[in-house]
Amino acid sequence: MHIVVTIKQVPDTNEVRIDKKTGTLIREGVPAIMNPEDKHALEAALCIREELGDVKVTVLSMGPPQAGNTLMEALCLGADEAFLACDKAFAGADTLATAYTLAMALKKIAPVDLVLCGSQAIDGDTAQVGPQIAECLGIPQITYAERIKASEKSVEVESGFGAVRRRVSADLPALVTVGKAINRPRYKTMKGIAAAFRDKGVQLLTSQDIKVNPGRIGLTGSPTSVKKTFVPELGRAGRIIDGGPETLSLGIIHTLEAENLLPKS
Amino acid sequence: MSLSYQLDEKHEMVRAAVREFAECEIRPVAGALEEKEAFSVSLTRQMGEIGLFGMIVPEHLGGQGLDYVSYIIAVEEIARIDGSQAATVAAGNSLGLSPIYYFGTLEQQQRYLPELCRGDALMGFGLTEANAGSDAGASKTRAVKDGDDWILNGSKIFITNAATPITRGTIIQAVTGSDSRGKPEHTCFVVENGTPGYTATPMKHKLMWRASNTAEISLSDVRVSRDAVLGQPGDGFKQMLSTLDRGRLSIAAMGLGCAQGAYEAALKYANERVQFGRPISKQQVISFKLADMAMKIELARNFLYRACWLADQHQPFGKEAAMAKLYCSEIAKEVADEAVQIHGGYGLMKEYDVERFYRDQRLLQIGEGTSEVLRMVISRAIGC
C-alpha cells in the first residue's frame, strides 16, 4: 500500500504580525513550520503503516527550495520518501493551480492508494486544496476525518460535525482530509533524525518532470485574484448595566438572551 | 581549511526536536517536580523514547548514532527549560553509559547499553567521596582480590542517578593497589543494585536540581566477579579523567542552556514590565544588562561547540573542555543573577522560572571540577 501525505510549509502564525498598511503577513524573520494539520495527516499515515505493516509513506509538497526543510522534518518523523515540486513556473499559484500541480506530481509518483491531506493550512485557511486534488485525479474524497480505518482495498472514515457524526467508506484510491482531533502527532526521535540525514533525502520535481499543462500552473493557472486582505478591527463595545442586585442580574440575563449567548433550555 | 559558523541542518533539527519536547513535556511540570523533590520515572522514560540517552553510541549497540555536537545541543535545550531533567540526561549519557561504551568489554556493552540507551535504566558514576572531592586520587574505597572475585569496601557521595527506581547500578572507582612509585592504582567496577552489602540512598534537601536524583553509596564487603571490572584493572584513574573531560562538555551545555533560559525570561519580562511609563527594556540600564547577557551567551555557545567539534574530530579537547565548562558555568551565574535583578522582587518568587535558574546554576561551578580545579587544569595545559 502506498500512502502519500501532502505537506505545506507555512509561517508560524503564533509569531506572525500583520502589516497594517498593506494588510499582508510580515514573513521576515518568522520561523517556517509544517502546517499543523498536515502533521496530523502524517501521523495518521504512520499509524496506518504500523497497523498494516506493508505500507510505504511518501510526503509531497509544492514550494520554494526551503520547503525541503519541512519535508526533511517529515522524513525525521518517519516518512519513507519525500518529493518537492519546485519550479519558478509554479510560483504565484492559487489553490486550484496548487491542487493541479500536486495532482500531476501524484500521477508521476503513482501508483498511489491513499492521499492524506491536512484539512486546511493555517496561513490561507481555505480547505480547498485537498478536495481539488481529488477532483483533478477523479478519485473519491472524504473530508475532516477524525478516525481512519484503512485496509488494502478501502478506507472507512469517521468525521464529526458538532452533534452529528458521519461514517463513510470509499474504495481505494481515495483522498482523505484530516483534522486535528484525529490523533496526537509523535515527537521526532534522535534515531529518526540520524536515519533521515544519513539514508533519506528530498527529491525535486520540476514542471518538466511532472508534465504539466503550462496554462494551469503558477500565476497563469490561477483564476483567483485577491482584492484585499485585512484584519478586521474589533473594538470593544462595552455596555454598563446599572441598578441593584435584581435589576443587575436580570439585565445581564436579558442581554445574553438577546445576543443568543445562553443555551436554549 | 574552511571555516563555517553555521550549524548544519541535522543539528538544527536536533535542536528543534528537543526544544519542542522540552517546551511541551518538561516546562509544564518542571516547577512542581522541583518543589516536591520528585524524580520522575515517566518523564525519564519519555526522554528515553525520543532518544535522549545514548546519543553518541552507535546504533548497533543500542544508541542513536549521533555526534557530540548533537548531544550537547540536546542538553543545552533541556537545560534551557529545566536543570533537573538536564542533569538526569547529562549524567545518564556522560557519566552513566559513556564509560561502558568507551572502556567496557563487549559483554558489558551488550549487557548494559541497550536498556541504558532506551532510558529504561540509569547508571551512576561513583567517584566522589566524603574526603575525596577535588583531590579525587585520595579516594579511600578499596577493592581486594579474592580468587576470581573482588571485595569492595568504602563509600561514595553526591552520585547522580544512583538511587532512582530504575537505576541498574553504579560504576565504582576503587583503589586496587599501588604502582612502583607508590601512587595508588585505581580500578572501576560496575556494581549492580541488589548486590549484597551495596546500598544507594537518595540525598534530599538540595539547593538545586531538586528533581534529579543524587545518592550516597555504602559498600560493605561487596563481592563482585572479575566480569564487573570496567576494561582492565588499574585503568580506573585514566578512565575517570577521560570521562570527566567529556562530562565537562555536558556541564558546559547545562550552563549555556541555563543562561539562555534565564536570559529569555528576563528579556520577555523586561519588555512587559512597565515602570516610569515605559517597558523597563527601554531603560538603558536594563537594556545594557540584556545586551551583555546576549553577548556572553553567544561567546559561550561558539566556544562550546568548537570544543565539541574537536571531540567529534578525535582531536585533543581536554583544555577546551575545561575552558568551556569554566566559562559557561560562570556566565550562567552572571546571567541568572542579572535575570533575577531585572525581575526585581518577582525574581525572588517561585512563580517565576528565574528563581529556579538562579539556584540551578550554582552547582555548575562545583560539579565535575570546581572553577578552581579547572583553572588549575587550564594553567597546566598552557605551560604554567
Side-chain angles (χ1 to χ4, degrees):
Chain A
M1 187 181 198
H2 187 197
I3 304 177
V4 179
V5 183
T6 58
I7 304 269
K8 184 180 186 184
Q9 187 182 55
V10 294
D12 187 346
T13 48
N14 290 325
E15 310 271 339
V16 157
R17 284 169 299 128
I18 308 274
D19 185 327
K20 281 191 176 158
K21 280 186 191 151
T22 60
T24 53
L25 302 176
I26 303 171
R27 287 173 189 256
E28 262 173 41
V30 177
I33 56 167
M34 186 186 302
N35 179 47
E37 294 200 345
D38 300 350
K39 216 174 199 177
H40 290 267
L42 175 59
E43 178 66 28
L46 297 173
C47 290
I48 294 171
R49 186 178 69 187
E50 278 153 16
E51 196 188 324
L52 298 183
D54 190 21
V55 173
K56 179 167 135 185
V57 175
T58 299
V59 286
L60 167 67
S61 186
M62 184 189 89
Q66 58 267 31
N69 296 340
T70 298
L71 290 178
M72 272 316 290
E73 188 185 350
L75 292 171
C76 293
L77 281 162
D80 300 300
E81 232 179 348
F83 291 95
L84 176 64
C86 184
D87 196 314
K88 284 199 174 122
F90 298 148
D94 68 359
T95 62
L96 188 65
T98 303
Y100 168 74
T101 308
L102 291 173
M104 295 307 282
L106 283 161
K107 282 185 182 170
K108 168 80 181 174
I109 56 183
V112 176
D113 301 294
L114 180 60
V115 182
L116 294 181
C117 310
S119 298
Q120 60 208 66
I122 50 169
D123 55 350
D125 260 335
T126 67
Q128 292 169 354
V129 172
Q132 287 176 157
I133 294 173
E135 290 303 309
C136 287
L137 294 172
I139 59 172
Q141 57 171 290
I142 310 175
T143 50
Y144 299 107
E146 287 181 5
R147 203 177 62 87
I148 301 177
K149 182 103 185 108
S151 67
E152 289 297 318
K153 298 261 175 255
S154 67
V155 63
E156 187 185 285
V157 173
E158 207 173 296
S159 316
F161 302 92
V164 179
R165 291 198 73 74
R166 178 187 73 186
R167 194 180 304 149
V168 192
S169 65
D171 289 338
L172 298 180
L175 180 144
V176 176
T177 77
V178 169
K180 278 189 178 177
I182 192 168
N183 53 35
R184 194 170 162 217
R186 66 195 62 193
Y187 291 108
K188 290 181 278 290
T189 65
M190 298 302 117
K191 210 170 260 182
I193 294 172
F197 281 91
R198 188 186 55 226
D199 308 328
K200 305 175 190 174
V202 176
Q203 301 168 62
L204 295 182
L205 297 171
T206 64
S207 56
Q208 300 273 310
D209 295 329
I210 59 178
K211 298 191 179 67
V212 286
N213 172 349
R216 293 190 63 186
I217 59 167
L219 202 55
T220 329
S222 298
T224 315
S225 75
V226 178
K227 201 168 171 192
K228 187 186 174 192
T229 55
F230 61 95
V231 183
E233 289 284 341
L234 290 177
R236 288 187 185 183
R239 187 186 308 168
I240 294 169
I241 301 165
D242 256 335
E246 199 174 329
T247 335
L248 207 55
S249 47
L250 281 174
I252 292 171
I253 289 171
H254 289 149
T255 310
L256 292 176
E257 273 175 345
E259 297 289 336
N260 243 346
L261 292 171
L262 284 185
K264 302 273 181 295
S265 52
Chain B
M1 186 183 152
S2 67
L3 193 57
S4 169
Y5 283 102
Q6 194 178 8
L7 285 182
D8 69 23
E9 288 169 12
K10 181 176 75 177
H11 295 128
E12 292 297 356
M13 194 68 81
V14 167
R15 184 189 300 285
V18 180
R19 181 168 293 197
E20 183 188 12
F21 175 85
E23 288 283 1
C24 298
E25 303 295 333
I26 301 177
R27 191 188 283 282
V29 298
L33 288 174
E34 222 264 343
E35 183 67 13
K36 285 187 291 187
E37 291 200 272
F39 173 88
S40 170
V41 172
S42 65
L43 196 50
T44 305
R45 290 242 158 92
Q46 267 184 291
M47 295 196 288
E49 278 167 22
I50 72 158
L52 295 178
F53 294 97
M55 285 187 69
I56 52 143
V57 175
E59 277 194 74
H60 72 270
L61 290 171
Q64 322 302 333
L66 286 162
D67 55 10
Y68 233 85
V69 175
S70 299
Y71 163 51
I72 249 47
I73 289 173
V75 174
E76 175 193 342
E77 285 298 325
I78 306 167
R80 176 179 162 271
I81 304 291
D82 181 27
S84 291
Q85 306 311 319
T88 302
V89 168
N93 279 286
S94 292
L95 304 181
L97 56 80
S98 277
I100 295 174
Y101 167 53
Y102 287 112
F103 313 117
T105 60
L106 184 62
E107 196 197 346
Q108 286 165 341
Q109 291 177 340
Q110 288 170 343
R111 182 176 172 86
Y112 299 115
L113 286 180
E115 62 176 0
L116 293 175
C117 291
R118 285 196 305 272
D120 285 342
L122 290 166
M123 182 75 77
F125 180 72
L127 171 65
T128 301
E129 296 182 7
N131 293 310
S134 292
D135 187 8
S139 54
K140 292 278 180 285
T141 298
R142 305 194 73 85
V144 179
K145 216 160 190 300
D146 182 37
D148 268 355
D149 295 345
W150 291 83
I151 313 275
L152 282 78
N153 277 291
S155 66
K156 299 286 175 183
I157 197 168
F158 306 135
I159 310 304
T160 307
N161 288 343
T164 77
I166 55 171
T167 298
R168 180 75 192 269
T170 293
I171 298 161
I172 299 288
Q173 195 210 39
V175 179
T176 46
S178 53
D179 65 12
S180 51
R181 290 173 300 165
K183 280 186 112 182
E185 196 176 77
H186 296 85
T187 301
C188 287
F189 299 86
V190 186
V191 182
E192 294 189 8
N193 279 21
T195 310
Y198 173 90
T199 55
T201 314
M203 299 171 77
K204 293 284 186 183
H205 312 302
K206 287 181 302 206
L207 170 73
M208 66 321 118
W209 297 5
R210 288 159 54 90
S212 94
N213 174 270
T214 309
E216 55 186 327
I217 289 170
S218 152
L219 301 117
S220 172
D221 290 331
V222 174
R223 178 180 288 272
V224 295
S225 78
R226 65 176 173 190
D227 296 339
V229 172
L230 186 72
Q232 295 299 315
D235 281 354
F237 205 69
K238 209 169 63 188
Q239 293 169 351
M240 178 206 72
L241 288 179
S242 158
T243 301
L244 286 183
D245 274 349
R246 290 175 187 282
R248 279 169 191 156
L249 295 174
S250 62
I251 296 284
M254 292 187 64
L256 175 59
C258 175
Q260 179 72 33
Y263 157 74
E264 285 178 27
L267 179 61
K268 182 168 180 280
Y269 183 83
N271 279 326
E272 289 167 358
R273 170 76 169 170
V274 173
Q275 291 287 276
F276 305 107
R278 55 185 179 161
I280 59 171
S281 64
K282 302 295 177 204
Q283 311 282 3
Q284 197 177 61
V285 69
I286 301 294
S287 64
F288 278 18
K289 283 184 197 293
L290 288 160
D292 281 349
M293 290 155 90
M295 175 183 69
K296 287 172 183 172
I297 291 168
E298 280 299 322
L299 290 171
R301 179 174 289 122
N302 275 302
F303 186 70
L304 172 59
Y305 289 0
R306 179 166 175 273
C308 297
W309 176 82
L310 287 171
D312 279 328
Q313 303 300 312
H314 306 291
Q315 293 187 35
F317 64 95
K319 179 184 76 180
E320 286 78 5
M323 287 176 166
K325 195 268 190 186
L326 177 61
Y327 188 71
C328 290
S329 63
E330 297 209 334
I331 69 125
K333 180 201 235 167
E334 293 159 13
V335 170
D337 187 58
E338 289 289 33
V340 170
Q341 192 68 20
I342 288 170
H343 278 71
Y346 295 106
L348 306 172
M349 307 305 288
K350 286 194 188 296
E351 290 99 293
Y352 286 83
D353 286 344
V354 288
E355 183 271 344
R356 187 158 42 83
F357 285 120
Y358 181 74
R359 287 185 288 108
D360 278 350
Q361 55 80 22
R362 196 60 188 86
L363 176 136
L364 303 171
Q365 301 109 45
I366 297 174
E368 295 191 43
T370 60
S371 293
E372 293 73 17
V373 163
L374 292 171
R375 286 190 165 86
M376 202 165 79
V377 170
I378 296 165
S379 59
R380 278 179 191 160
I382 60 174
C384 294

